[in-house]
Amino acid sequence: TQITSDISSLGTLKSSLADLRDSLSSVNSLSTFEERKASSSDSTKVAVTATSKAAIGDYKVSVSALATQQSLAIRNEFNSTSETVGTGTLSFTFGSTGYTADGSNNTNDTYDSFSSKAGAETKTVVISNANSSLTGVRDAINAAEIGVTASIVGSGTSHNLVITTNSTGAENSVQISVTGDGDGNNTDATGLSRLSFNATVGTSNVYQTQAASDAAFTVNGLALTSSTNVATDFIDGVTLTLKETTSGSETVTISDNKTGIKSAIDAFIKGYNDYRVKVTELTGYDALTGIGGPLQGDFSARTLGSQIRNVVGGRAIGYGGARSSLSELGITTGADGSLSLDSTKLDAALND
C-alpha cells in the first residue's frame, strides 16, 4: 500500500513539473520579446503587419491610387458562345502599354506604344478547329495558365470575350498578336485576329476597359509606387496592404509586445504557484491534523523542490549585469514560497 501511494504521488509530482515546464514555453521564447505589434488608424484602408525587424514608431501613410490589373474587351460581339472565332496562334507578351485615354469613352482610347518587361517570356496558345468556338478559345486561354484569365460576358445573342491580366502593375500589361490566322490575315477584324491587340493593330480589334497601373502612396511624405497593393519592401520589417485610397493620411503604429510579455510572465507565475501548491500538498506537514503529505521526507521530492527554489530565487548563471534576477524584474517570492508580480517595477524594466 505504501509503495502504491509513493508511485502515485511521484506521478502527481511529475505531472506538476510538466505543467510548470509548459508554463515557461512562452516566457522562455525569444520571439515573445522580439515580436512587434502593428496597428492602423483605419485598417479598412491601410492594413499592416510587422516582423521583429520593424523599428518601433509611427508612420503616416496616404494612398492616392491602388494597383490595378489590365482588362481588355474584344470589340466583336458573338451571337452565341458556340460561334466560331477562328484558328491560329495567340501570342501574349507582358510589359508596359502606352495609352492616351479618351476621357469620355474608353472605346476611343489610343494605343501609343508597348515595352516588353525585362525577362518576360512570350506565351502562346494554339487555337485549332477543335477549340475554335468562343467557349473553346476562352477555355484554351485559361487552361494554358499564362498569366491572363479569359471570360465571356453577355447573354442572348450578344456575347463578348474579356481578357484580364492576373497580376497588377503597369509592367504587367499584355499585348496580343495573332499568327497563322485561318483566314490568311493576322490583323483584320475577322477570324482569330479579332483578338489582336498590339502596336500594329492598335485598338481597332480590342480596347482597354481598365489600364494596368501601379499603386501610388506616400510614407511620411515620401512618394512611392508599388506594382501590387501589398507593399513589403518599403519599411524594413513592415508589410502594408493598401485597400482603399485615402483623403488624408492614416497612422501606422509599430509597438513592442509588452502586453504579450506580461501575459507570458503571468502564465509562468501561475504555473509556478500551482506547482508550489501541489508540492506542498505532497511533501508538507499539517500541524493541526498531525498528518504529513505522502512524499514528506522523500529525498527526490525534497531535492527537486530545493533546486527549483534556488533557480527562481537566484541570479542568472553567467550574467552579472543589471536585472540578473527575477526580483529585479518585479517577480518576488513571498513568505509562503509563492511568486507575485510588481507590475510597476516590471513596466519600468520593460521601458528601459
Side-chain angles (χ1 to χ4, degrees), residues 7 24 60 73 77-78 102 113 119 133 140 221 223 231 249 252 255 290 327 332:
I7 292 174
L24 285 162
K60 297 293 185 181
E77 292 188 353
F78 297 88
D102 186 313
S113 62
S133 68
S249 61
V252 167
S255 58
S327 62
T332 57

Side-chain angles (χ1 to χ4, degrees), residues 24 37 88 142 200 211 246 350:
L24 285 162
K37 299 296 183 183
N142 292 339
T200 300
T246 60
L350 292 176

Side-chain angles (χ1 to χ4, degrees), residues 308-344:
I308 292 176
R309 281 195 305 273
N310 290 338
V311 170
V312 171
R315 293 189 172 276
I317 298 172
Y319 173 70
R323 302 192 181 92
S324 60
S325 68
L326 292 182
S327 62
E328 292 173 319
L329 299 174
I331 305 169
T332 57
T333 304
D336 62 351
S338 64
L339 295 180
S340 61
L341 176 64
D342 182 336
S343 294
T344 301

Side-chain angles (χ1 to χ4, degrees), residues 98-290:
Y99 243 83
T100 301
D102 186 313
S104 60
N105 189 342
N106 62 0
T107 63
N108 296 327
D109 290 347
T110 304
Y111 191 113
D112 296 327
S113 62
F114 181 82
S115 176
S116 59
K117 186 177 181 179
E121 180 183 353
T122 298
K123 305 298 179 81
T124 59
V125 178
V126 177
I127 306 299
S128 64
N129 289 325
N131 57 2
S132 62
S133 68
L134 185 60
T135 299
V137 171
R138 177 200 64 188
D139 294 346
I141 293 174
N142 292 339
E145 297 182 347
I146 55 176
V148 299
T149 298
S151 57
I152 298 172
V153 179
S155 62
T157 58
S158 178
H159 299 273
N160 293 86
L161 186 67
V162 175
I163 296 174
T164 304
T165 57
N166 294 346
S167 300
T168 58
E171 278 195 333
N172 291 314
S173 299
V174 67
Q175 77 165 2
I176 307 171
S177 298
V178 177
T179 55
D181 192 335
D183 65 7
N185 191 325
N186 295 327
T187 59
D188 65 0
T190 61
L192 191 64
S193 58
R194 285 177 284 187
L195 274 65
S196 57
F197 176 76
N198 52 57
T200 300
V201 181
T203 62
S204 58
N205 296 342
V206 176
Y207 66 95
Q208 183 175 256
T209 59
Q210 177 175 278
S213 64
D214 292 338
F217 62 104
T218 66
V219 175
N220 289 348
L222 178 65
L224 301 165
T225 60
S226 170
S227 62
T228 73
N229 291 314
V230 180
T232 57
D233 300 322
F234 300 92
I235 305 174
D236 194 26
V238 176
T239 296
L240 300 173
T241 301
L242 313 178
K243 295 183 176 182
E244 293 182 14
T245 57
T246 60
S247 56
S249 61
E250 303 300 334
T251 301
V252 167
T253 300
I254 310 300
S255 58
D256 58 25
N257 188 31
K258 285 180 183 176
T259 301
I261 294 170
K262 289 180 179 180
S263 178
I265 290 173
D266 285 338
F268 158 63
I269 290 175
K270 181 181 183 304
Y272 180 82
N273 289 339
D274 289 346
Y275 153 79
R276 283 293 307 158
V277 169
K278 185 57 64 178
V279 167
T280 300
E281 292 175 356
L282 293 172
T283 64
Y285 174 77
D286 190 332
L288 293 177
T289 62

